[in-house]
Amino acid sequence: FENELYAAQDPLIGASGTGGSVWTWLGDKLIDSGQYDAIVFIAIGGSGTAIKEWAPGGQMHDRIISAIKSARKSDLHITHLLWHQGETDALLGTGRQQYQAYFRQMIAAIRNHGVSAPVFVSLASRCK
């Protein structure tokens, strides 16, 4: 967060929520498994946002680009992109094709900024 590293605890610094998240649990599990010695999460989540807000031109898109630039300045290599979003789009009735189009635009912008990490999309219980 703002070019500084902090021990992960809920709520994660950088995200807008005030409760717990799956990311601290995931980090602990990955370290306990021996797969990684350390994990850095760059939390940029925004509660109640729609996918179009994360695509280029949307109000949240700059958070993605800022995070990429900040990681680069801090010599952090982005190895995984974790995407957990969609509850708001389910409530708004965003269609599958429209969602995919915005998602692909967002990923293309990330790729254009030099991030080639694989994207892992979570499945939320309200959004099957």
Side-chain angles (χ1 to χ4, degrees):
F1 181 73
E2 296 181 353
N3 297 322
E4 296 290 331
L5 295 177
Y6 298 88
Q9 61 183 16
D10 286 321
L12 281 176
I13 298 171
S16 68
T18 58
S21 74
V22 299
W23 309 124
T24 52
W25 176 84
L26 175 63
D28 290 342
K29 290 288 186 186
L30 289 170
I31 289 171
D32 290 347
S33 76
Q35 289 181 282
Y36 300 96
D37 296 326
I39 296 186
V40 175
F41 288 107
I42 302 172
I44 61 168
S47 183
T49 57
I51 185 64
K52 70 180 181 179
E53 297 173 64
W54 294 95
Q59 67 183 27
M60 301 301 284
H61 186 71
D62 285 345
R63 291 183 84 163
I64 298 170
I65 304 311
S66 268
I68 292 169
K69 290 177 180 178
S70 179
R72 195 169 288 132
K73 276 184 182 178
S74 298
D75 290 325
L76 294 173
H77 176 70
I78 298 173
T79 60
H80 300 76
L81 298 170
L82 308 174
W83 184 250
H84 178 86
Q85 185 278 334
E87 291 91 342
T88 296
D89 286 293
L91 293 172
L92 293 173
T94 304
R96 178 179 294 186
Q97 289 180 340
Q98 186 179 25
Y99 189 97
Q100 288 176 350
Y102 283 126
F103 185 81
R104 286 186 177 120
Q105 290 170 23
M106 178 188 68
I107 297 302
I110 291 169
R111 300 290 185 237
N112 287 337
H113 279 84
V115 177
S116 61
V119 181
F120 296 86
V121 178
S122 66
L123 181 62
S125 60
R126 287 194 272 168
C127 306
K128 289 188 174 186

